[in-house]
Structure formats: structure tokens, C-alpha cells
Amino acid sequence: MPEWIYFFDLCGTAVFALSGALAAGRHKMDPFGVIVLASVTAVGGGSIRDTLMGATPVFWINDPTYIIVILSTVLLTILLVRKPKRVPQKVLPIADALGLALFTIIGAEKALSMGLSGMSAVIMGLITGVGGGIIRDILCRQVPMVLRTEIYATASIAGGIGYTCSLSFGMADLSAMFLAMSTAFAIRLAAITWHLSLPAFDLRSQKPK
């Protein structure tokens, strides 16, 4: 893995660990609960991705730096964010949006590096981006964001498609990565800011004939 991709991967790990730690604080979990929630949020999606692609042992087992980043993020969050309820409400979704954008492209890049097709790369990017958040939300007894009407998975898919298409058109790796991450992050941020959502499939609203 190129050093710059590894750097972004660690940044995404820290961002998602922060997202999980803040979610744990809002649910009044103890320090062990914060570590667990931060960890599954940060490495859950990548673990599922590596398992599906047969890249085992999964990445964080081979490289303990990821665990160090998670534990450091948790420690700083516990020490610096003493009152999670006082943290602005948009901090958690914005941190989650940034992690989504970073991990989507990391997942797609790893799939392409293993010789998978562009479509498979988009799917692996999606799994990497949303997998940890799904586990986090389930542990918090919430419906995962990816299953609600919020524009979440759509942003990840758009980023993955943008990355694979940019590379196929000959764009440099770093430029393609920044463009795709910006696209995914901007779409998710717009959905948060203007409360954009997809139409719900609601059978209850249909009147029986």
C-alpha cells in the first residue's frame, strides 16, 4: 500500500473511532464500551471487506498501528470531551461523513489493487464505508443510517463510482482519490445541511382496495 493511501487509511480510522466514541458517550457507556464501539466503527467495514475478498488475516491484525490509533482517539475523546451532550449535534454526523468518504475510496482502491472489477470495487468501497457504522448503530439499538431514507449509502456509491471512473479515464491516483472523496463528502454534507433524503417505501400509506 502506498504511503499516502496508508496515511489516509489511518486518518479514516481516527475519524470513525471518534464517531464511535461520541456515539458511546451519548449513550452513557463505560470506558470499555467506548473502546468497543469506537473499534467496531473504525475497523468493522474494513474487516468485512477483507474477509469477503479473502485478504486474511484482516488488515488491523497484521498492523497494530490501527489499534494504537483507535485507543489514542478514544483516550483523547474521553479526556477532552467531558460532556458529550454539549458537543454540537452536527459534530457526530460530520465526522461520520468524513469517515464515510475516506473509507469508501480506501475500500475501492484495495479492491482494484487486488484485480477486482470496477463494479466490485464500488461495492467493496460501500461495504468499507458503511459497515462499521451499521455495527455501531445496531449496538446502540438504532436503525442503521444506511437503512433509513437519509442519503448515506448513495454518497458512498457516488464516491466509489467517481473514483473508478476517474482512474479509467487516466486521472492520477491522488487526484482521483481527492475528487472522489470530495464528491462523497459533499453529497453527505449537503444531505445533513439541507435534510435531504430519499423517498421512503411505505406500504402503510397505501389504502386497501
Side-chain angles (χ1 to χ4, degrees):
M1 179 185 296
E3 290 186 4
W4 59 273
I5 293 181
Y6 181 62
F7 172 75
F8 280 119
D9 202 11
L10 292 178
C11 289
T13 300
V15 170
F16 259 166
L18 172 63
S19 171
L22 290 176
R26 292 187 184 279
H27 287 79
K28 300 180 180 180
M29 295 185 182
D30 63 19
F32 181 74
V34 178
I35 292 174
V36 170
L37 206 62
S39 299
V40 298
T41 307
V43 301
S47 298
I48 297 172
R49 174 204 64 210
D50 283 1
T51 301
L52 290 175
M53 295 194 303
T56 53
V58 295
F59 66 102
W60 57 269
I61 293 178
N62 287 324
D63 187 354
T65 304
Y66 290 94
I67 303 301
I68 295 172
V69 169
I70 292 170
L71 294 177
S72 300
T73 303
V74 168
L75 179 61
L76 289 173
T77 303
I78 292 175
L79 292 177
L80 300 179
V81 186
R82 304 299 301 173
K83 298 290 184 180
K85 290 185 178 180
R86 294 181 181 176
V87 177
Q89 290 187 351
K90 287 190 176 181
V91 169
L92 178 56
I94 290 175
D96 188 79
L98 182 57
L100 174 71
L102 285 166
F103 272 8
T104 292
I105 309 309
I106 294 295
E109 190 281 332
K110 186 163 187 177
L112 291 174
S113 70
M114 294 185 67
L116 299 184
S117 66
M119 181 177 294
S120 296
V122 172
I123 295 173
M124 289 300 109
L126 174 64
I127 291 173
T128 309
V130 306
I134 290 176
I135 300 172
R136 176 200 63 209
D137 291 345
I138 290 174
L139 291 177
C140 291
R141 293 184 294 182
Q142 295 178 337
V143 177
M145 281 194 288
V146 70
L147 300 181
R148 302 180 219 163
T149 58
E150 293 188 43
I151 297 178
Y152 191 76
T154 306
S156 176
I157 293 171
I161 292 175
Y163 181 64
T164 54
C165 289
S166 296
L167 291 179
S168 66
F169 291 141
M171 185 177 290
D173 288 353
L174 188 58
S175 299
M177 191 172 192
F178 272 116
L179 176 62
M181 282 194 302
S182 300
T183 299
F185 182 66
I187 292 174
R188 180 61 188 141
L189 202 60
I192 294 170
T193 303
W194 292 298
H195 305 288
L196 304 177
S197 62
L198 299 173
F201 178 59
D202 187 1
L203 293 177
R204 294 174 302 176
S205 61
Q206 298 183 12
K207 296 181 180 180
K209 295 181 179 180

